[in-house]
């Protein structure tokens, strides 16, 4: 494969590189990033964050069939995270895994999805990184459902990822495994970031590449080794995707470039959005990256100097934010639905399980409720309250829901201070008696008693579902899941 040189391509001079370095340490690049310090998490923390590694929370492209699965989750601190779980015995040496993870965990850059922790309990090997809510470059480039990625955004991806690679290179993290469009993620602002997971191997002795062999660096096919220049080759394949909007094997793309048919390579949806010189420069940069001989490829500093001038918008009054270019809504990060056992039972409409959980929970969610009933001045009224509560609880325990409704209704009238648990139990009893509207009313009354009580939200979800209001039921279930995290963090139940 011969390298194509052009007199028109922007070749970085020493002055360019010096200027670029100063820009990268200012607003345009910004190496200092506020992120939690790297730490070792316990397995129980990560199990809780991912709802027991629930399959519904898998975000890796191959789902649970992938050898190493990535989950989304939420920590007790309400911090959204992505958790990569390696296959069993992928890293036999736990200490080696920690050392390598700590090395990656020292990196902090605004163009990098920062690694914030790991776990090595037993056979488990897990990495914890910041969560990126706006999908992958692959999704926006190849599988878009609203609008194709604009030219300015594609150039921004090339620029920002070059920044990330240059930073990693200067920090002596020169190897990146299986770099492709899935490894580029978009943050809450719609800005592209490079996943930190690729800075570690998939296993100690395992494969470093899992994508189609047509996109794999030639030297890896020959030797099975990844070298710094392999990352440049993969960057070239990403450039091809940005230019064409398609999966084009490098060999086919180079044939098109040699035939001076650049327009055949370009995504037709980009027509009228770019200057021909800019497209030519990116095509020729891709060609340089895809050279079969590793020594003929440029380094990350060259990439950065070549793509930076192509980004016409700078941080100024005319700068258009990434989320606007991508047609995303600003600040609408959806919390992962991490359901408690009660939430799960409500989601699957398992009323028997809901009943069991309500029985086991009792009145403990109401601080001081038992004491208030037990230690008030002993009067006939208080005795009536206690007896009515006792008979209502016995009926509820025995699934005698008709009598439970009767006793709890009497109890509501007797008590000076309403009880959220009594309303919740009466709501469930109404559900079991075919009175969904009354159940919804009582569940809402329980929420009035304790405004952020997850149980009240879950019971409303059940009632709404019984009433055929599935969309509202799902929203209420998600609200309950979000409150569950806050509730458990606050009360450590």
């Amino acid at each position: 494969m011969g390298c194509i040189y052009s007199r028109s391509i922007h070749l970085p001079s020493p002055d360019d590189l010096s200027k670029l370095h100063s820009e990268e340490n200012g607003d345009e690049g910004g190496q200092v990033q506020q992120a939690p310090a790297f730490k070792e998490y316990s397995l129980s923390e990560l199990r809780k964050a991912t709802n027991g590694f629930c399959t519904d929370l898998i975000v890796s492209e191959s789902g649970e069939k992938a050898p190493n699965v990535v989950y989304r989750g939420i920590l007790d601190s309400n911090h959204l995270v992505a958790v990569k779980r390696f296959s069993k015995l992928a890293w036999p040496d736990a200490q080696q895994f920690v050392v390598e993870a700590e090395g990656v965990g020292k990196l902090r850059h605004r163009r990098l999805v920062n690694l914030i922790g790991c776990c090595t309990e037993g056979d488990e090997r897990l990495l914890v990184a910041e969560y990126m809510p706006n999908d992958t470059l692959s999704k926006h480039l190849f599988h878009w459902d609203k609008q194709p990625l604009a030219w300015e955004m594609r150039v921004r991806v090339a620029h920002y990822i070059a920044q990330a690679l240059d930073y990693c290179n200067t920090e002596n993290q020169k190897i990146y495994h299986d770099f492709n469009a899935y490894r580029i993620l978009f943050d809450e602002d719609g800005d592209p970031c490079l996943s930190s997971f690729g800075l570690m191997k998939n296993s100690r002795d395992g494969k470093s590449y899992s994508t189609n062999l047509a996109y794999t660096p030639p030297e890896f096919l020959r030797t099975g080794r990844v070298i710094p220049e392999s990352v440049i080759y993969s960057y070239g394949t990403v450039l091809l995707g940005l230019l064409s909007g398609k999966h084009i094997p490098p060999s086919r793309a180079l044939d098109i470039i040699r035939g001076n048919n650049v327009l055949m390579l370009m995504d037709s949806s980009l027509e009228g959005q770019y200057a021909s010189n800019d497209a030519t420069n990116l095509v020729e940069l891709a060609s340089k990256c895809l050279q079969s001989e590793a020594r003929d490829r440029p380094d990350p500093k060259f990439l950065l100097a070549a793509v930076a001038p192509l980004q016409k918008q700078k941080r100024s009054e005319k700068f258009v934010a990434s989320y606007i270019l991508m047609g995303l809504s600003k600040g609408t990060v959806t919390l992962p639905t991490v359901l408690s056992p009660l939430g799960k039972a409500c989601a699957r409409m398992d009323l028997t399980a809901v009943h069991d959980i309500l029985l086991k929970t009792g009145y403990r969610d109401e601080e001081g409720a038992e004491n208030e009933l037990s230690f008030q001045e002993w009067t006939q009224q208080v005795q009536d309250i206690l007896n009515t509560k006792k008979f209502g609880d016995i009926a509820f325990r025995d699934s005698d829901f008709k009598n439970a409704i009767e006793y709890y209704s009497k109890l509501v009238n007797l008590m000076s201070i309403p009880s959220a648990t009594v309303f919740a139990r009466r709501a469930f009893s109404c559900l079991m008696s075919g009175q969904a509207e009354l159940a919804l009313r009582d569940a809402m009354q329980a929420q009035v008693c304790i405004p952020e009580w997850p149980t009240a939200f879950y019971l409303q979800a059940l009632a709404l579902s019984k009433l055929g209001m599935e969309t509202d039921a799902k929203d209420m279930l998600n609200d309950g899941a979000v409150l569950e995290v806050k509730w458990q963090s606050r009360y450590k139940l």
Side-chain angles (χ1 to χ4, degrees):
M1 297 182 187
C3 182
I4 296 181
Y5 289 95
S6 168
R7 295 175 183 176
S8 64
I9 194 168
H10 177 83
L11 297 176
S13 67
D15 288 342
D16 291 330
L17 297 180
S18 176
K19 179 181 178 182
L20 184 67
H21 181 73
S22 64
E23 287 180 351
E24 291 308 303
N25 285 281
D27 291 339
E28 189 65 21
Q31 294 186 12
V32 178
Q33 173 73 7
Q34 292 295 327
F38 185 90
K39 61 172 282 189
E40 289 194 49
Y41 289 90
S42 67
L43 183 57
S44 62
E45 284 180 284
L46 300 185
R47 282 191 185 280
K48 182 178 178 182
T50 59
N51 200 21
F53 299 107
C54 177
T55 55
D56 291 340
L57 299 180
I58 293 175
V59 295
S60 44
E61 61 267 20
S62 299
E64 57 186 319
K65 295 181 180 179
N68 306 302
V69 181
V70 180
Y71 301 81
R72 59 177 177 165
I74 185 167
L75 301 173
D76 281 344
S77 60
N78 222 26
H79 194 155
L80 291 166
V81 292
V83 180
K84 182 173 183 178
R85 190 183 196 187
F86 287 86
S87 58
K88 295 293 183 183
L89 301 178
W91 287 79
D93 188 338
Q95 186 57 36
Q96 181 190 6
F97 181 82
V98 171
V99 169
E100 294 204 24
E102 286 178 341
V104 176
K106 291 178 182 177
L107 303 178
R108 288 293 180 267
H109 195 277
R110 66 187 301 180
R111 308 302 180 211
L112 191 67
V113 182
N114 297 301
L115 192 70
I116 61 175
C118 70
C119 174
T120 57
E121 284 189 30
D123 291 337
E124 293 286 356
R125 303 291 182 265
L126 300 119
L127 296 176
V128 184
E130 297 170 306
Y131 179 70
M132 299 288 106
N134 283 313
D135 293 314
T136 66
L137 176 62
S138 179
K139 169 72 179 297
H140 291 289
L141 193 57
F142 306 125
H143 309 290
W144 55 273
D145 52 7
K146 291 183 179 180
Q147 62 184 49
L149 211 56
W151 171 257
E152 181 58 37
M153 195 63 220
R154 300 187 194 205
V155 173
R156 191 170 297 177
V157 169
H159 182 204
Y160 285 8
I161 299 308
Q163 288 180 352
L165 292 177
D166 180 56
Y167 169 74
C168 292
N169 195 63
T170 59
E171 294 297 318
N172 204 33
Q173 290 283 349
K174 301 181 179 182
I175 302 296
Y176 196 99
H177 305 271
D178 206 11
F179 176 34
N180 56 62
Y182 288 106
R183 300 288 196 175
I184 299 171
L185 310 171
F186 293 88
D187 66 15
E188 63 274 11
D189 295 319
D191 286 333
C193 302
L194 181 65
S195 170
S196 56
F197 289 154
L199 292 166
M200 288 186 65
K201 297 177 185 177
N202 287 330
S203 67
R204 186 189 64 176
D205 300 314
K207 295 192 300 181
S208 292
Y209 281 84
S210 59
T211 51
N212 191 306
L213 293 180
Y215 300 88
T216 303
E219 62 275 5
F220 183 79
L221 295 177
R222 291 194 299 264
T223 67
R225 292 179 59 246
V226 180
I227 58 177
E229 291 79 8
S230 304
V231 183
I232 305 300
Y233 185 93
S234 295
Y235 181 84
T237 67
V238 170
L239 285 182
L240 289 181
L242 290 170
L243 290 163
S244 67
K246 303 181 184 70
H247 293 286
I248 298 182
S251 58
R252 169 61 179 153
L254 289 172
D255 287 341
I256 294 174
I257 295 170
R258 290 192 196 98
N260 292 319
N261 293 319
V262 172
L263 286 179
M264 288 182 59
L265 195 64
M266 300 300 294
D267 189 338
S268 59
S269 71
L270 297 174
E271 187 174 354
Q273 295 186 32
Y274 59 88
S276 58
N277 284 343
D278 291 346
T280 299
N281 285 341
L282 271 189
V283 167
E284 293 183 351
L285 180 61
S287 176
K288 293 179 186 297
C289 294
L290 295 171
Q291 294 307 295
S292 58
E293 295 296 330
R295 63 176 178 269
D296 294 332
R297 300 170 200 157
D299 61 17
K301 192 67 71 180
F302 184 98
L303 300 182
L304 188 52
V307 297
L310 302 181
Q311 180 160 287
K312 307 301 182 182
Q313 295 183 344
K314 300 298 181 182
R315 295 284 177 183
S316 66
E317 294 181 0
K318 296 182 179 180
F319 182 84
V320 179
S322 296
Y323 74 91
I324 295 175
L325 287 174
M326 297 179 69
L328 300 172
S329 298
K330 170 69 171 173
T332 56
V333 178
T334 302
L335 293 175
T337 304
V338 183
L339 296 177
S340 65
L342 178 58
K344 288 181 182 178
C346 289
R348 64 177 185 266
M349 297 294 290
D350 186 346
L351 299 183
T352 300
V354 172
H355 183 229
D356 289 342
I357 294 168
L358 290 177
L359 277 174
K360 291 176 182 177
T361 303
Y363 291 79
R364 72 180 184 183
D365 287 349
E366 299 187 77
E367 293 181 310
E370 292 282 14
N371 289 339
E372 181 186 341
L373 291 174
S374 301
F375 299 108
Q376 292 182 44
E377 182 181 355
W378 194 260
T379 65
Q380 185 61 47
Q381 183 182 9
V382 172
Q383 186 173 4
D384 288 344
I385 291 174
L386 291 173
N387 286 337
T388 304
K389 174 181 176 295
K390 175 182 177 182
F391 291 135
D393 289 345
I394 291 173
F396 187 79
R397 180 197 66 193
D398 295 341
S399 300
D400 182 1
F401 298 115
K402 180 179 178 181
N403 278 323
I405 292 171
E406 181 179 340
Y407 282 117
Y408 286 142
S409 296
K410 182 179 179 182
L411 185 59
V412 167
N413 292 327
L414 287 172
M415 293 181 65
S416 58
I417 301 176
S419 165
T421 302
V422 169
F423 279 122
R425 290 188 169 205
R426 191 171 72 171
F428 183 80
S429 299
C430 287
L431 272 177
M432 297 301 290
S433 302
Q435 303 176 68
E437 289 185 4
L438 294 178
L440 179 60
R441 183 190 64 185
D442 274 353
M444 293 172 68
Q445 286 293 330
Q447 183 187 344
V448 171
C449 296
I450 307 179
E452 294 190 345
W453 192 32
T455 299
F457 285 76
Y458 290 146
L459 289 174
Q460 288 178 62
L462 269 182
L464 288 166
S465 184
K466 284 286 188 180
L467 291 168
M469 303 168 68
E470 294 298 340
T471 300
D472 291 332
K474 184 177 180 181
D475 290 342
M476 193 63 66
L477 196 68
N478 287 335
D479 288 344
V482 173
L483 289 173
E484 188 87 46
V485 176
K486 296 179 180 178
W487 185 267
Q488 292 182 3
S489 176
R490 186 181 306 161
Y491 298 105
K492 303 297 182 183
L493 295 179

